[in-house]
Short mmCIF file of all heavy atoms in Angstrom, two decimals:
data_model
loop_
_atom_site.label_atom_id
_atom_site.label_comp_id
_atom_site.label_asym_id
_atom_site.label_seq_id
_atom_site.Cartn_x
_atom_site.Cartn_y
_atom_site.Cartn_z
N SER A 390 39.18 18.29 -0.34
CA SER A 390 39.98 18.91 0.72
C SER A 390 41.22 18.09 1.03
O SER A 390 42.33 18.62 1.12
CB SER A 390 39.13 19.09 1.98
OG SER A 390 38.12 20.06 1.79
N VAL A 391 41.03 16.77 1.18
CA VAL A 391 42.17 15.90 1.50
C VAL A 391 43.18 15.89 0.35
O VAL A 391 44.40 15.98 0.58
CB VAL A 391 41.68 14.48 1.82
CG1 VAL A 391 42.86 13.53 1.96
CG2 VAL A 391 40.85 14.47 3.09
N TYR A 392 42.67 15.81 -0.87
CA TYR A 392 43.59 15.75 -2.01
C TYR A 392 44.37 17.04 -2.18
O TYR A 392 45.60 17.02 -2.37
CB TYR A 392 42.81 15.42 -3.28
CG TYR A 392 43.68 15.25 -4.50
CD1 TYR A 392 44.85 14.50 -4.45
CD2 TYR A 392 43.35 15.84 -5.72
CE1 TYR A 392 45.66 14.33 -5.56
CE2 TYR A 392 44.15 15.67 -6.84
CZ TYR A 392 45.31 14.93 -6.75
OH TYR A 392 46.11 14.77 -7.85
N LEU A 393 43.68 18.17 -2.11
CA LEU A 393 44.38 19.44 -2.26
C LEU A 393 45.40 19.66 -1.15
O LEU A 393 46.51 20.12 -1.40
CB LEU A 393 43.37 20.60 -2.30
CG LEU A 393 42.56 20.76 -3.58
CD1 LEU A 393 41.67 22.01 -3.49
CD2 LEU A 393 43.45 20.87 -4.81
N TYR A 394 45.01 19.34 0.08
CA TYR A 394 45.95 19.53 1.18
C TYR A 394 47.17 18.61 1.02
O TYR A 394 48.31 19.01 1.25
CB TYR A 394 45.27 19.29 2.52
CG TYR A 394 46.17 19.55 3.71
CD1 TYR A 394 46.67 20.84 3.95
CD2 TYR A 394 46.55 18.53 4.56
CE1 TYR A 394 47.51 21.08 5.03
CE2 TYR A 394 47.40 18.76 5.64
CZ TYR A 394 47.87 20.04 5.87
OH TYR A 394 48.71 20.28 6.93
N ALA A 395 46.93 17.36 0.59
CA ALA A 395 48.04 16.44 0.38
C ALA A 395 48.97 16.94 -0.71
O ALA A 395 50.21 16.85 -0.58
CB ALA A 395 47.49 15.05 0.01
N LEU A 396 48.40 17.46 -1.79
CA LEU A 396 49.25 18.02 -2.85
C LEU A 396 50.04 19.22 -2.37
O LEU A 396 51.25 19.35 -2.64
CB LEU A 396 48.38 18.41 -4.05
CG LEU A 396 47.86 17.28 -4.94
CD1 LEU A 396 46.92 17.84 -6.00
CD2 LEU A 396 49.01 16.55 -5.63
N HIS A 397 49.38 20.11 -1.65
CA HIS A 397 50.07 21.32 -1.18
C HIS A 397 51.17 20.96 -0.18
O HIS A 397 52.25 21.56 -0.19
CB HIS A 397 49.05 22.28 -0.56
CG HIS A 397 48.22 23.01 -1.57
ND1 HIS A 397 47.31 22.37 -2.37
CD2 HIS A 397 48.16 24.32 -1.92
CE1 HIS A 397 46.73 23.25 -3.17
NE2 HIS A 397 47.23 24.44 -2.92
N TRP A 398 50.89 20.01 0.70
CA TRP A 398 51.90 19.54 1.65
C TRP A 398 53.10 18.99 0.88
O TRP A 398 54.25 19.29 1.20
CB TRP A 398 51.28 18.46 2.53
CG TRP A 398 52.16 17.97 3.65
CD1 TRP A 398 53.52 17.88 3.65
CD2 TRP A 398 51.72 17.49 4.92
NE1 TRP A 398 53.98 17.36 4.83
CE2 TRP A 398 52.90 17.12 5.64
CE3 TRP A 398 50.48 17.33 5.52
CZ2 TRP A 398 52.82 16.59 6.94
CZ3 TRP A 398 50.43 16.81 6.81
CH2 TRP A 398 51.57 16.45 7.50
N THR A 399 52.81 18.18 -0.16
CA THR A 399 53.89 17.58 -0.94
C THR A 399 54.76 18.64 -1.61
O THR A 399 56.00 18.60 -1.52
CB THR A 399 53.31 16.64 -2.01
OG1 THR A 399 52.57 15.59 -1.38
CG2 THR A 399 54.41 16.05 -2.88
N PHE A 400 54.12 19.59 -2.28
CA PHE A 400 54.88 20.57 -3.05
C PHE A 400 55.52 21.65 -2.19
O PHE A 400 56.48 22.28 -2.62
CB PHE A 400 53.98 21.21 -4.11
CG PHE A 400 53.52 20.23 -5.15
CD1 PHE A 400 52.18 20.17 -5.54
CD2 PHE A 400 54.41 19.35 -5.75
CE1 PHE A 400 51.76 19.26 -6.49
CE2 PHE A 400 53.99 18.44 -6.71
CZ PHE A 400 52.66 18.39 -7.08
N CYS A 401 55.00 21.85 -0.96
CA CYS A 401 55.64 22.81 -0.04
C CYS A 401 56.69 22.14 0.84
O CYS A 401 57.59 22.80 1.33
CB CYS A 401 54.59 23.46 0.85
SG CYS A 401 53.67 24.77 0.07
N GLY A 402 56.51 20.83 1.06
CA GLY A 402 57.47 20.11 1.88
C GLY A 402 57.12 20.06 3.35
O GLY A 402 57.85 19.45 4.14
N ASN A 403 56.00 20.68 3.75
CA ASN A 403 55.60 20.62 5.16
C ASN A 403 54.11 20.92 5.29
O ASN A 403 53.51 21.57 4.44
CB ASN A 403 56.41 21.61 6.00
CG ASN A 403 56.15 23.06 5.61
OD1 ASN A 403 55.23 23.69 6.09
ND2 ASN A 403 56.98 23.57 4.70
N GLY A 404 53.53 20.42 6.37
CA GLY A 404 52.10 20.56 6.58
C GLY A 404 51.65 21.96 6.93
O GLY A 404 50.46 22.27 6.84
N TRP A 405 52.60 22.82 7.34
CA TRP A 405 52.24 24.21 7.65
C TRP A 405 52.24 25.09 6.40
O TRP A 405 51.90 26.26 6.49
CB TRP A 405 53.23 24.77 8.68
CG TRP A 405 53.17 24.07 10.00
CD1 TRP A 405 54.04 23.13 10.47
CD2 TRP A 405 52.18 24.24 11.01
NE1 TRP A 405 53.66 22.70 11.70
CE2 TRP A 405 52.51 23.37 12.07
CE3 TRP A 405 51.04 25.05 11.13
CZ2 TRP A 405 51.75 23.28 13.24
CZ3 TRP A 405 50.28 24.95 12.30
CH2 TRP A 405 50.63 24.09 13.33
N LEU A 406 52.62 24.52 5.28
CA LEU A 406 52.66 25.22 3.99
C LEU A 406 53.62 26.40 4.01
O LEU A 406 53.44 27.38 3.26
CB LEU A 406 51.25 25.69 3.59
CG LEU A 406 50.16 24.61 3.60
CD1 LEU A 406 48.84 25.20 3.12
CD2 LEU A 406 50.55 23.41 2.77
N ILE A 407 54.62 26.32 4.85
CA ILE A 407 55.64 27.36 4.92
C ILE A 407 56.75 27.02 3.93
O ILE A 407 57.21 25.88 3.86
CB ILE A 407 56.23 27.47 6.34
CG1 ILE A 407 55.12 27.81 7.35
CG2 ILE A 407 57.33 28.51 6.39
CD1 ILE A 407 54.50 29.17 7.16
N GLY A 408 57.20 28.00 3.20
CA GLY A 408 58.29 27.78 2.26
C GLY A 408 57.83 27.96 0.82
O GLY A 408 56.67 28.27 0.54
N ARG A 409 58.76 27.76 -0.08
CA ARG A 409 58.48 27.98 -1.49
C ARG A 409 57.77 26.79 -2.10
O ARG A 409 58.02 25.64 -1.78
CB ARG A 409 59.79 28.22 -2.25
CG ARG A 409 60.59 29.42 -1.76
CD ARG A 409 59.88 30.73 -1.98
NE ARG A 409 59.63 31.00 -3.40
CZ ARG A 409 59.00 32.08 -3.86
NH1 ARG A 409 58.52 32.98 -3.01
NH2 ARG A 409 58.83 32.25 -5.14
N TRP A 410 56.87 27.08 -3.00
CA TRP A 410 56.17 26.07 -3.78
C TRP A 410 57.15 25.47 -4.79
O TRP A 410 57.75 26.18 -5.58
CB TRP A 410 55.00 26.73 -4.49
CG TRP A 410 54.17 25.86 -5.37
CD1 TRP A 410 54.29 25.72 -6.72
CD2 TRP A 410 53.06 25.05 -4.99
NE1 TRP A 410 53.33 24.86 -7.21
CE2 TRP A 410 52.56 24.43 -6.15
CE3 TRP A 410 52.44 24.77 -3.77
CZ2 TRP A 410 51.47 23.57 -6.14
CZ3 TRP A 410 51.35 23.92 -3.75
CH2 TRP A 410 50.88 23.33 -4.93
N ASP A 411 57.30 24.15 -4.76
CA ASP A 411 58.29 23.49 -5.63
C ASP A 411 57.61 22.37 -6.41
O ASP A 411 57.76 21.18 -6.09
CB ASP A 411 59.45 22.95 -4.78
CG ASP A 411 60.58 22.42 -5.64
OD1 ASP A 411 60.58 22.69 -6.87
OD2 ASP A 411 61.47 21.74 -5.10
N PHE A 412 56.87 22.74 -7.44
CA PHE A 412 56.15 21.77 -8.25
C PHE A 412 57.11 20.91 -9.06
O PHE A 412 57.00 19.69 -9.08
CB PHE A 412 55.18 22.51 -9.17
CG PHE A 412 54.32 21.61 -10.01
CD1 PHE A 412 53.17 21.05 -9.50
CD2 PHE A 412 54.66 21.33 -11.33
CE1 PHE A 412 52.37 20.21 -10.27
CE2 PHE A 412 53.88 20.50 -12.11
CZ PHE A 412 52.73 19.94 -11.58
N LEU A 413 58.06 21.54 -9.73
CA LEU A 413 58.99 20.80 -10.59
C LEU A 413 59.93 19.90 -9.79
O LEU A 413 60.45 18.92 -10.32
CB LEU A 413 59.80 21.78 -11.44
CG LEU A 413 59.01 22.60 -12.45
CD1 LEU A 413 59.93 23.57 -13.19
CD2 LEU A 413 58.29 21.69 -13.44
N GLY A 414 60.13 20.24 -8.52
CA GLY A 414 61.03 19.44 -7.70
C GLY A 414 60.41 18.15 -7.18
O GLY A 414 61.08 17.39 -6.46
N HIS A 415 59.15 17.90 -7.52
CA HIS A 415 58.48 16.68 -7.08
C HIS A 415 57.88 15.97 -8.30
O HIS A 415 56.66 15.97 -8.50
CB HIS A 415 57.39 17.00 -6.06
CG HIS A 415 57.92 17.56 -4.78
ND1 HIS A 415 58.25 18.90 -4.64
CD2 HIS A 415 58.21 16.97 -3.59
CE1 HIS A 415 58.70 19.11 -3.41
NE2 HIS A 415 58.68 17.96 -2.75
N PRO A 416 58.74 15.37 -9.12
CA PRO A 416 58.25 14.73 -10.35
C PRO A 416 57.41 13.49 -10.09
O PRO A 416 56.61 13.08 -10.94
CB PRO A 416 59.53 14.38 -11.09
CG PRO A 416 60.56 14.25 -10.01
CD PRO A 416 60.20 15.25 -8.98
N ASN A 417 57.57 12.90 -8.91
CA ASN A 417 56.80 11.70 -8.55
C ASN A 417 56.02 11.97 -7.26
O ASN A 417 56.54 12.63 -6.35
CB ASN A 417 57.72 10.49 -8.36
CG ASN A 417 58.45 10.13 -9.64
OD1 ASN A 417 57.83 9.85 -10.66
ND2 ASN A 417 59.78 10.15 -9.59
N LEU A 418 54.81 11.47 -7.22
CA LEU A 418 53.96 11.70 -6.06
C LEU A 418 54.00 10.50 -5.12
O LEU A 418 54.09 9.35 -5.57
CB LEU A 418 52.51 11.95 -6.51
CG LEU A 418 52.29 13.17 -7.39
CD1 LEU A 418 50.82 13.27 -7.80
CD2 LEU A 418 52.72 14.46 -6.69
N PRO A 419 53.91 10.73 -3.81
CA PRO A 419 53.86 9.62 -2.86
C PRO A 419 52.65 8.72 -3.11
O PRO A 419 51.62 9.17 -3.64
CB PRO A 419 53.74 10.33 -1.50
CG PRO A 419 54.25 11.72 -1.73
CD PRO A 419 53.90 12.05 -3.15
N LEU A 420 52.77 7.46 -2.72
CA LEU A 420 51.70 6.49 -2.94
C LEU A 420 50.40 6.94 -2.29
O LEU A 420 49.32 6.76 -2.88
CB LEU A 420 52.12 5.12 -2.40
CG LEU A 420 51.08 4.00 -2.53
CD1 LEU A 420 50.72 3.75 -3.99
CD2 LEU A 420 51.59 2.71 -1.86
N LEU A 421 50.48 7.52 -1.11
CA LEU A 421 49.27 7.96 -0.42
C LEU A 421 48.55 9.03 -1.24
O LEU A 421 47.32 9.00 -1.38
CB LEU A 421 49.62 8.51 0.97
CG LEU A 421 48.44 9.07 1.78
CD1 LEU A 421 47.38 7.99 2.01
CD2 LEU A 421 48.92 9.65 3.11
N VAL A 422 49.30 9.97 -1.78
CA VAL A 422 48.70 11.03 -2.60
C VAL A 422 48.07 10.45 -3.86
O VAL A 422 46.97 10.84 -4.27
CB VAL A 422 49.76 12.10 -2.96
CG1 VAL A 422 49.15 13.18 -3.87
CG2 VAL A 422 50.32 12.74 -1.69
N LEU A 423 48.76 9.50 -4.48
CA LEU A 423 48.23 8.86 -5.68
C LEU A 423 46.93 8.11 -5.36
O LEU A 423 45.98 8.12 -6.16
CB LEU A 423 49.25 7.90 -6.27
CG LEU A 423 50.51 8.52 -6.87
CD1 LEU A 423 51.49 7.44 -7.29
CD2 LEU A 423 50.16 9.40 -8.06
N THR A 424 46.87 7.48 -4.20
CA THR A 424 45.66 6.75 -3.80
C THR A 424 44.50 7.70 -3.60
O THR A 424 43.37 7.44 -4.06
CB THR A 424 45.93 5.96 -2.51
OG1 THR A 424 47.01 5.05 -2.71
CG2 THR A 424 44.68 5.18 -2.10
N ILE A 425 44.76 8.80 -2.94
CA ILE A 425 43.71 9.81 -2.73
C ILE A 425 43.25 10.37 -4.08
O ILE A 425 42.06 10.57 -4.32
CB ILE A 425 44.21 10.94 -1.81
CG1 ILE A 425 44.57 10.39 -0.44
CG2 ILE A 425 43.16 12.03 -1.69
CD1 ILE A 425 45.32 11.37 0.43
N ARG A 426 44.22 10.64 -4.96
CA ARG A 426 43.89 11.13 -6.30
C ARG A 426 42.96 10.16 -7.03
O ARG A 426 41.94 10.57 -7.62
CB ARG A 426 45.17 11.32 -7.11
CG ARG A 426 44.96 11.79 -8.54
CD ARG A 426 46.15 11.42 -9.43
NE ARG A 426 46.32 9.97 -9.54
CZ ARG A 426 47.29 9.40 -10.23
NH1 ARG A 426 48.20 10.14 -10.84
NH2 ARG A 426 47.38 8.08 -10.28
N ASN A 427 43.31 8.89 -7.00
CA ASN A 427 42.50 7.89 -7.71
C ASN A 427 41.09 7.80 -7.15
O ASN A 427 40.11 7.68 -7.90
CB ASN A 427 43.19 6.52 -7.64
CG ASN A 427 44.52 6.49 -8.38
OD1 ASN A 427 44.81 7.39 -9.16
ND2 ASN A 427 45.32 5.47 -8.13
#
Side-chain angles (χ1 to χ4, degrees):
S390 292
V391 172
Y392 184 45
L393 286 184
Y394 184 64
L396 284 175
H397 285 67
W398 185 329
T399 299
F400 294 133
C401 281
N403 64 87
W405 295 102
L406 308 183
I407 300 295
R409 301 295 299 179
W410 179 264
D411 187 12
F412 183 83
L413 295 178
H415 295 82
N417 298 302
L418 298 178
L420 179 60
L421 178 60
V422 177
L423 292 174
T424 302
I425 298 169
R426 178 203 63 181
N427 295 346

